[in-house]
Amino acid sequence: MIDDYIWCYSAEGFHKVCYRQWGESNGDNVILCCHGVMRNLHDFDYIARSLADHGYCVVCPDIVGRGQSDHFQDAKNYSYYQYILDITAIIARVGAKKVDWLGTSMGGLIGMMVASQPNTIIRRLVTNDIGPIILISALKRIETYAGKEALFNSFDEACQQMRKNYATFGIKNEEHWMHLFKYSLKELPEGRWTTYADCRCMVQGLNPNRQETDTPDIDENGNIIFWKYWEKISCPVLLIHGADSDLVTTEVVEAMKQYPVKLDSYSIEGVGHAPTLMEDDQISLITDWLKKTA
């Protein structure tokens, strides 16, 4: 395992994008893991170890504005287009010809966008609790805690709030909670605590009206829709979703199946948005599917 970074270019000049790599790349064994809108690369630490044991080179970036990567001065530069450019540079760095893509929430949306492109570099796509539609009701719930600057007087206070915010993850193991806390929170010079993620990523990154290129659409109910990308995907797709998810409902799954996409889907009981991919059974769903579709 190595931690590294690459310099990427934006309207502000160059910015640093950090990534963690598990295993060696031979050009054909790379799987790219892309996290959710306010999350970071360490969400994949558990599954990355398992995938590396199966012979994969696992590459997990901190999308700009999250984790250890740089933050933009101007929030308008947080866009799907920028994220795709940055990830493409990392894929080139590790020498991948094609990649399998595992994306949670926002990371899955980015994967859909990349998979829909001509000459796409994605061989197989795994989306974790995200489909081609962001239901406005779910988005409003997430916005109650994300997209706002979070300041806490102590580490314990911050952890308590995170347990509330991420209760839908269905985390049962205290070790997994501590992993989440460790890589989500940082202490400020004055002694208070906050998150590593730039809170402006939430507002900017999920609003189609604030995307300069490659924009999704909004339907008559205010839902953000990505069907124009979904219908162009030709690679095999695995959808994993929480049985209690308010983002990937039964209706969303059925709508996805109406398109000529090679789709397999699995529902995880006792979980909402989104499965952590830290539990052995969740990890096995993905490794088994990758083996089956090899």
Side-chain angles (χ1 to χ4, degrees):
M1 180 199 75
I2 60 170
D3 289 315
D4 206 345
Y5 67 88
I6 190 170
W7 290 106
C8 298
Y9 187 72
S10 74
E12 294 185 13
F14 289 94
H15 59 276
K16 183 169 66 175
V17 177
C18 298
Y19 66 94
R20 173 168 285 190
Q21 179 178 333
W22 303 75
E24 294 295 323
S25 168
N26 64 18
D28 294 311
N29 67 333
V30 174
I31 181 164
L32 191 290
C33 299
C34 190
H35 58 73
V37 66
M38 297 293 288
R39 300 300 309 137
N40 60 72
L41 67 83
H42 293 287
D43 286 357
F44 298 106
D45 283 351
Y46 286 82
I47 192 170
R49 293 189 193 100
S50 179
L51 289 167
D53 288 342
H54 283 78
Y56 286 96
C57 170
V58 190
V59 181
C60 310
D62 272 334
I63 302 300
V64 62
R66 291 84 166 175
Q68 300 301 314
S69 293
D70 285 344
H71 292 192
F72 284 135
Q73 294 181 12
D74 190 339
K76 79 174 188 304
N77 291 317
Y78 292 122
S79 69
Y80 295 115
Y81 184 71
Q82 183 67 57
Y83 304 155
I84 292 170
L85 291 179
D86 292 354
I87 293 170
T88 301
I90 291 175
I91 290 171
R93 160 70 73 86
V94 301
K97 300 170 185 175
K98 291 275 188 177
V99 301
D100 294 318
W101 187 294
L102 166 58
T104 295
S105 198
M106 180 195 73
L109 292 173
I110 298 171
M112 289 181 211
M113 298 174 81
V114 175
S116 72
Q117 300 303 311
N119 303 313
T120 182
I121 56 173
I122 293 184
R123 180 173 45 231
R124 290 172 294 182
L125 174 63
V126 181
T127 67
N128 180 25
D129 212 68
I130 195 70
I133 180 169
I134 303 175
L135 299 173
I136 188 63
S137 55
L139 184 58
K140 287 181 176 178
R141 176 186 60 79
I142 295 170
E143 286 179 336
T144 61
Y145 64 85
K148 301 175 182 177
E149 185 176 13
L151 293 172
F152 306 98
N153 293 320
S154 67
F155 179 72
D156 287 344
E157 180 185 337
C159 293
Q160 289 174 14
Q161 187 59 51
M162 284 193 68
R163 288 181 190 271
K164 295 177 182 178
N165 294 347
Y166 296 130
T168 57
F169 284 13
I171 297 175
K172 303 178 182 67
N173 190 324
E174 188 64 18
E175 174 191 318
H176 297 165
W177 275 120
M178 296 310 297
H179 184 84
L180 210 67
F181 301 153
K182 177 180 179 180
Y183 294 109
S184 300
L185 300 168
K186 64 179 179 180
E187 188 174 10
L188 298 172
E190 69 270 21
R192 290 196 294 177
W193 290 79
T194 190
T195 61
Y196 279 105
D198 185 342
C199 64
R200 301 173 302 163
C201 296
M202 176 68 188
V203 177
Q204 186 70 21
L206 291 179
N207 188 337
N209 296 322
R210 300 189 183 189
Q211 303 289 323
E212 294 183 357
T213 56
D214 242 358
T215 61
D217 300 311
I218 300 178
D219 68 14
E220 64 276 8
N221 297 314
N223 304 313
I224 304 173
I225 55 175
F226 292 74
W227 295 112
K228 65 183 180 184
Y229 303 107
W230 180 250
E231 66 185 6
K232 296 176 183 177
I233 294 176
S234 59
C235 69
V237 179
L238 170 63
L239 167 66
I240 290 178
H241 63 97
D244 301 323
S245 175
D246 55 357
L247 264 174
V248 181
T249 62
T250 301
E251 291 77 17
V252 168
V253 176
E254 289 305 311
M256 294 172 71
K257 291 178 179 179
Q258 302 309 306
Y259 290 79
V261 176
K262 292 171 278 188
L263 174 65
D264 292 313
S265 65
Y266 293 93
S267 176
I268 299 176
E269 294 298 323
V271 178
H273 180 76
T276 61
L277 307 185
M278 295 179 184
E279 300 286 351
D280 290 341
D281 59 338
Q282 297 176 18
I283 292 172
S284 294
L285 282 175
I286 294 173
T287 55
D288 290 350
W289 183 82
L290 290 171
K291 183 178 180 180
K292 182 182 75 172
T293 56

